[in-house]
Amino acid sequence: QAQLVESGGGLVQAGGSLRLSCAASGRTFSSYFMGWLRQAPGKEREFVAAISRAGVNTNYADSVKGRFTISRDNVKNMVYLQMNSLKPEDTAVYYCAAAPGMQAMPSLVGDFTSWGQGTQVTVSS
């Protein structure tokens, strides 16, 4: 099972940008679909983005489409989430997640079976 460690969260003003990083352990990293989830206070965890094994295909929640970009580096075992035009409603704990059992692009929280400790993103208005 992949061990995942997120970094890069912080406080940013609305309209600003942040780049989240996720370091993954394990020699099978390149065989996993990977993604990002988030959980705002008082809300359920929600899907944000996913990326295919080779990094060619991606999938986004409608709420972040056009503003967020997911990418991966299979040599460095890293996954990234570039977040632009941030809004206060993007405030949440963001989790890097792995979907080792999936054969198709993940789009639900339940598609992921492991995640990291999370990193806090706070967007002020």
Side-chain angles (χ1 to χ4, degrees):
Q1 188 168 343
Q3 301 298 312
L4 306 169
V5 179
E6 305 92 339
S7 62
L11 174 64
V12 64
Q13 288 189 331
S17 298
L18 280 175
R19 188 193 194 206
L20 305 184
S21 299
C22 171
S25 64
R27 288 181 290 180
T28 57
F29 171 77
S30 62
S31 67
Y32 298 167
F33 284 91
M34 296 294 297
W36 289 90
L37 311 175
R38 69 185 181 185
Q39 187 165 16
K43 296 188 177 181
E44 293 187 354
R45 194 167 295 188
E46 65 175 357
F47 169 80
V48 175
I51 189 165
S52 61
R53 299 178 184 98
V56 174
N57 298 308
T58 57
N59 184 32
Y60 298 95
D62 288 343
S63 58
V64 307
K65 204 170 292 184
R67 300 187 298 121
F68 290 11
T69 302
I70 187 172
S71 61
R72 68 189 296 166
D73 184 332
N74 285 344
V75 174
K76 297 180 179 178
N77 278 18
M78 297 289 293
V79 182
Y80 306 99
L81 186 68
Q82 177 67 43
M83 306 185 295
N84 298 329
S85 302
L86 283 162
K87 304 175 181 180
E89 51 263 44
D90 294 317
T91 295
V93 176
Y94 283 72
Y95 300 90
C96 178
M102 290 294 291
Q103 299 301 315
M105 180 68 73
S107 60
L108 302 172
V109 172
D111 292 336
F112 299 90
T113 56
S114 62
W115 43 84
Q117 299 274 13
T119 185
Q120 176 71 47
V121 171
T122 302
V123 185
S124 63
S125 58

